[in-house]
Amino acid sequence: MSENSVPDELPSEDDERLSRRRIIGTGAALGGAALGGALAATVGGSARAEQGNAMPASAADTKLDTDSHLYHLTAAEPDRYDGGTLRGAHEGTFPVLTGQQASVYFVELEVGAIREPHWHPTAWELNYIISGKADWTILGTHPDGTYRNDVFEAKQGDLVFVPQGFFHYFGNSSTEQSLQVLVVFNTSAQEPNDDIGIVATVNSLPREILAAAFGVPVAAFGGIPTEVKPVVITRCK
């Protein structure tokens, strides 16, 4: 084309606008990609930093992966009492329960035996009657001025709930067969260690205090032993 020649066709205004859009779009895409890459690098770096600073697994978490998840509860050597036995799966006998706020007990009461009246200051409990039947008393709180005193008999297949801190007892109400109860607590501690019994409670108080509370002469408590010890299971005399 000569110096004095003119283009056959000049670009129209639409063509110029289209070209500008392509340029702007390309720049936006490149900018977005760069921004996305920077964000990904930042997030990835933060995640790696968090992983690098993560606290080591706790002993309880480690036990979930390393300790046995199986415990032969009824085959365990029981604690023996006058009137029955107690077998427990807790963090001392079933280490995988460490830190899990859970423990399970298998209680057997012979005819005429009772679980000492007591309460648990740090745990509630669920009791499932495997066989036999049991008399229950659960003493609750008294926000309206009257104690909630729930007295009933539970039989095979029944479930009994005792709220945390509520005073209670159960005893074998059958004259022919033993009572078997499975007890579940929301604590990993050994059951007798989270147990305040009525015998220790009474024996820990001065006799004049007991007499004043009951409104009877001090002599009325003269025959009560003064030794403070757990009883757990005993037999009705």
Side-chain angles (χ1 to χ4, degrees), residues 110-208:
E110 300 169 5
V111 173
I114 64 168
R115 173 67 174 92
E116 180 198 5
H118 63 286
W119 66 91
H120 303 284
T122 63
W124 52 249
E125 66 181 75
L126 276 169
N127 302 264
Y128 177 74
I129 310 300
I130 298 173
S131 65
K133 54 184 180 179
D135 288 328
W136 278 85
T137 292
I138 301 175
L139 181 65
T141 52
H142 50 96
D144 60 353
T146 303
Y147 277 107
R148 169 78 186 279
N149 189 28
D150 203 3
V151 180
F152 55 88
E153 184 180 68
K155 299 179 180 180
Q156 181 178 359
D158 288 344
L159 192 63
V160 178
F161 177 69
V162 181
Q164 177 178 327
F166 276 37
F167 187 68
H168 62 285
Y169 103 99
F170 65 89
N172 188 350
S173 59
S174 173
T175 58
E176 300 176 349
Q177 70 176 117
S178 63
L179 170 69
Q180 295 183 332
V181 183
L182 188 71
V183 189
V184 179
F185 293 95
N186 65 328
T187 178
S188 302
Q190 187 173 350
E191 195 266 351
N193 295 347
D194 184 53
D195 176 315
I196 299 177
I198 191 172
V199 174
T201 301
V202 171
N203 289 349
S204 67
L205 298 173
R207 296 301 179 253
E208 60 271 18

Side-chain angles (χ1 to χ4, degrees), residues 39-61:
L39 288 174
T42 302
V43 172
S46 298
R48 286 190 295 273
E50 290 179 0
Q51 291 173 0
N53 296 328
M55 296 295 290
S58 67
D61 292 335

